[in-house]
Amino acid sequence: MESRPFTIHVTDEAIKDLHRRLRNGHWPDSIDADSWDDGTSLSFLKCLRDHWLHQFDWRMQECRLNRLPQYVSTIRGLDIHFVHQPGVGPAPMPLILTHGWPGSFVEMERIIPLLADPGAHGGDPADAFHVVVPSLPGYGFSQAPAVAGVSAREIAAMWRELMGGLGYDRFAAQGGDIGAGVSCWLARCFPESLLGVHLNYIPGSFRPGRDESTAPLSGEEMAFLDKAAAFAAAEGAYAALQATKPLTLAFALSDSPIGLAAWIAEKFRAWSDCGGELGRAIPIDTLLTDISIYWFSGNIAASLRLYKEMRLQPLTFEAGERVSVPFGVTVFPRELPMPPRSWVERAFNVVRWTHMPAGGHFAAIEQPEALAEEIRTFFRPLRSRCDI
């Protein structure tokens, strides 16, 4: 597999077009400009627009991101963008980190050095990883699929090819959101390649197999299913739309950067441990860097469509089916509905389950040090399995 060096460069014309659209955007009416009850606050979004237009410096963000060692490789006909940061230590373990929606590879920017060079950040060099952070197909600077069928399961197969092409026949995986689903599929389909899997989210589509021989649902498991159903009813309209008619939404988000920012920012606020003040958990320039990547890449339609692919190929198991790869799960308090350990253990070999005191859905941004330490701790006893 050939890996070609990659440098981010957005044209001046694209930046000017963004600024023109930001200046000329139309605003909806709101019965309460400060409220988030009906969706993104009008007053918040006006402030975000002003910051994006007058203070946010894309070139500065671009320059910083280009310090990361980035590459593109063609895998199954798609050009896949990824960061590949070699580890600094006696025997780094290969680790692939997968982001989700509405994130991007930028989610992992702060955690990459903590994992690749722990000795430089107060840790033990023996815990080092060779860190690979790909952009999902149709996200960021990865090419969008031109045909249907590229689900989290297909992406897992692509990631195995990517890691093998980098010389890592056996490796570890970590992820949240969609990245958690890809990591689960990796362990399910390619257990011989996986040293272990660490998750900070359990995919919403995950259902263990059940029949008359399996244990009945516990009260804790039934309470989780009720909580998940309530979340879907009150907060799940975005997922239902993206999983059924993603292109209809994409027309609006591809034409209006203000609309795109509204769609993405509302999720960062709702899913982070910010206490209603988004900037407490997600720095404003980090948020706008992520949104800008969606805008400049033109990939919003493909990113939404992945939800449809995952609906058509959910992470459901047959009765009695289990994955032997060791799993570790870190639960952050402001995460979306998370099942109890017993639910996950019905299909996965859970060897570590930890509850954290703070943090939400975007743990790699919100709590990078805590998440990095959890990842190091989980994989430490599994390093003896690493035959590289």
Side-chain angles (χ1 to χ4, degrees), residues 118-282:
H121 299 87
D124 186 344
D127 288 332
F129 296 89
H130 294 308
V131 181
V132 179
V133 181
S135 296
L136 291 163
Y139 283 68
F141 304 106
S142 284
Q143 184 179 358
V147 296
V150 182
S151 67
R153 180 174 186 168
E154 175 70 13
I155 294 169
M158 296 174 72
W159 279 192
R160 184 187 184 223
E161 290 188 22
L162 171 62
M163 294 299 277
L166 294 173
Y168 306 136
D169 293 327
R170 303 195 73 210
F171 56 92
Q174 200 283 333
D177 197 80
I178 294 171
V182 173
S183 299
C184 288
W185 278 111
L186 271 166
R188 186 182 187 185
C189 296
F190 310 108
E192 72 285 353
S193 297
L194 269 290
L195 298 164
V197 171
H198 181 275
L199 306 176
N200 54 282
Y201 179 66
I202 302 301
S205 69
F206 165 64
R207 291 294 182 272
R210 298 179 60 235
D211 61 17
E212 64 279 357
S213 67
T214 57
L217 295 182
S218 68
E220 193 177 20
E221 289 170 334
M222 289 189 290
F224 155 68
L225 293 175
D226 288 342
K227 184 178 181 181
F231 174 85
E235 300 287 343
Y238 79 99
L241 180 54
Q242 293 176 188
T244 53
K245 296 292 184 286
L247 188 58
T248 301
L249 173 62
F251 284 112
L253 303 190
S254 297
D255 189 60
S256 169
I258 293 174
L260 178 67
W263 194 255
I264 290 177
E266 191 266 325
K267 297 309 172 197
F268 273 96
R269 179 184 180 274
W271 299 348
S272 62
D273 190 7
C274 69
E277 297 293 332
L278 180 54
R280 289 173 48 185
I282 312 292

Side-chain angles (χ1 to χ4, degrees), residues 8 10-23 25 52 56 58 101-104 138-141 249-264 287-301 303:
I8 303 169
V10 172
T11 65
D12 291 340
E13 290 74 17
I15 296 173
K16 291 176 182 176
D17 176 66
L18 169 63
H19 289 172
R20 177 183 61 80
R21 291 169 185 265
L22 290 173
R23 284 192 298 268
W52 200 0
F56 178 75
W58 168 256
W101 184 91
S104 63
Y139 283 68
F141 304 106
L249 173 62
F251 284 112
L253 303 190
S254 297
D255 189 60
S256 169
I258 293 174
L260 178 67
W263 194 255
I264 290 177
L287 173 65
L288 285 173
T289 298
D290 183 74
I291 296 171
S292 295
I293 288 174
Y294 276 92
W295 178 260
F296 290 132
S297 70
N299 269 342
I300 188 63
S303 75

Side-chain angles (χ1 to χ4, degrees), residues 39-59:
T40 303
S41 155
L42 178 61
S43 59
F44 169 86
L45 198 61
K46 285 185 174 181
C47 290
L48 186 68
R49 189 284 303 262
D50 289 346
H51 187 95
W52 200 0
L53 182 59
H54 299 298
Q55 295 175 262
F56 178 75
D57 186 340
W58 168 256
R59 289 296 184 213

